[in-house]
Amino acid sequence: MDVPDLLRHAADVVPADERSDADLGANDVREYLRHHEWEVALGILEDFDGIRWQTVRFWDLLIEAAQQMWLADDVTWLHWRRSETLHGLIRADLQLAAPDAGGRRSPIPGKGQLRPLWSIGRTAAESHDELHIARIRVESAPEIPPGGRGPIRLLPLTPSHWRHLEPGDTVTMHERNPVAATATITQIEHPPH
């Protein structure tokens, strides 16, 4: 399929009453496609929040369209969203420890490259905190500076271990001693299946 067909098929998956963060819907996508505005149409489809109705097939259509348009950053983001559909969505507010208090001296990169350890409130048989790996994706900024704060998405290596968490819970990020950051969970959506 070519890009317009892929995006048209993806728009057909969007429920009629669903609106993006910019208050646009599937009909808006179709209108942009009529005017050959493929990147705008893709951007609208990427902008639908949550994982309630998005299917793996929906994300696969968007990934293929982004690959055909040579949009590497979009491809990476769409793979992330596909993983959230499969494993769940976790958003949090991250507060990094100050560098003079033992925190990072470099920023948290924004595109999901960092995979630190997290204490998520589970205790091992030896009565110490279990640590779990999760990738970080910074939202609404290219990075979080040392000692800074910002919204993030987490993509756990073992999602089932994180299912007990709820909005308001706090988890801690560990890269070395002391704790590198704390994150307060702001949104959790479990996969629909």
Side-chain angles (χ1 to χ4, degrees):
M1 276 191 275
D2 63 11
V3 170
D5 287 336
L6 291 163
L7 296 175
R8 217 171 277 109
H9 284 294
D12 290 343
V13 175
V14 178
D17 61 339
E18 194 67 32
R19 308 303 289 174
S20 73
D21 287 344
D23 198 34
L24 300 170
N27 287 334
D28 298 299
V29 171
R30 291 181 190 97
E31 184 63 27
Y32 280 106
L33 289 174
R34 277 192 282 283
H35 296 285
H36 308 288
E37 295 285 346
W38 302 346
E39 283 190 55
V40 176
L42 175 65
I44 295 168
L45 291 165
E46 288 178 1
D47 200 33
F48 288 100
D49 198 21
I51 60 172
R52 297 171 312 281
W53 56 266
Q54 293 93 333
T55 62
V56 168
R57 171 90 174 121
F58 173 78
W59 296 117
D60 287 343
L61 290 165
L62 297 184
I63 289 166
E64 178 63 26
Q67 286 172 334
Q68 287 187 31
M69 290 189 284
W70 297 89
L71 301 172
D73 287 345
D74 290 78
V75 171
T76 301
W77 172 234
L78 293 165
H79 276 289
W80 183 286
R81 296 292 307 274
R82 184 184 191 279
S83 293
E84 287 180 338
T85 292
L86 287 170
H87 305 293
L89 167 66
I90 303 173
R91 281 188 160 135
D93 181 47
L94 182 72
Q95 175 64 60
L96 294 173
D100 60 357
R104 301 176 59 87
R105 298 196 184 287
S106 60
I108 297 283
K111 295 185 181 175
Q113 305 96 315
L114 190 64
R115 293 178 167 101
L117 295 169
W118 295 87
S119 174
I120 59 172
R122 295 174 58 111
T123 305
E126 301 83 26
S127 297
H128 61 81
D129 283 350
E130 288 182 2
L131 296 177
H132 301 270
I133 297 171
R135 290 171 52 198
I136 297 174
R137 184 166 182 104
V138 177
E139 293 194 286
S140 305
E143 61 186 24
I144 298 176
R149 180 181 191 157
I152 61 169
R153 290 170 104 106
L154 294 168
L155 201 56
L157 182 63
T158 314
S160 62
H161 292 175
W162 295 65
R163 296 242 164 90
H164 68 286
L165 295 171
E166 298 178 0
D169 288 346
T170 300
V171 297
T172 55
M173 185 176 97
H174 299 263
E175 295 181 291
R176 61 188 177 283
N177 282 330
V179 168
T182 57
T184 303
I185 304 298
T186 57
Q187 180 184 3
I188 293 240
E189 287 186 41
H190 300 293
H193 53 284

